[in-house]
Amino acid sequence: MTTVFKRMCIGGKAAVFQAVKTYRPGSSAGAAPAIEKLTVGKALAASKTKVTFLQTETLKGLPVNTSLSTKTIDPYLAAYIQDVNAVYFGK
């Protein structure tokens, strides 16, 4: 199955696409990835990035980016956090 996407006109640099139609009809299960609740072990096993450690050396401290602020929120991160919140803490 192939999905046809149309770019939506929104302000800013974000490129947002909407699924318009199915080009090759069939199973539509792969059109949008779903977030599901997993244990840490299963999530690490299924991750695309190979994770070899879960802790960092903290004796010398970690660098802190002082230019970060909470004045603006990344819309993609906000949407992802909303989905994760619905899966883990929703009723």
Side-chain angles (χ1 to χ4, degrees):
M1 179 200 78
T2 302
T3 305
V4 177
F5 292 99
K6 175 185 170 188
R7 186 171 183 174
M8 299 181 68
C9 297
I10 61 169
K13 294 182 180 181
V16 178
F17 295 88
Q18 177 183 14
V20 178
K21 65 178 181 175
T22 303
Y23 183 68
R24 294 182 183 161
S27 173
S28 63
I35 298 173
E36 60 185 71
K37 190 172 184 177
L38 297 173
T39 63
V40 174
K42 288 182 181 179
L44 289 174
S47 66
K48 294 179 182 179
T49 304
K50 179 67 176 164
V51 178
T52 57
F53 62 90
L54 290 177
Q55 57 186 359
T56 60
E57 185 64 44
T58 58
L59 294 176
K60 295 181 181 179
L62 296 174
V64 176
N65 186 352
T66 58
S67 66
L68 294 177
S69 72
T70 57
K71 292 181 180 176
T72 59
I73 298 173
D74 180 28
Y76 292 112
L77 179 62
Y80 179 76
I81 290 173
Q82 185 178 15
D83 293 342
V84 169
N85 185 34
V87 170
Y88 284 91
F89 306 110
K91 293 190 180 205

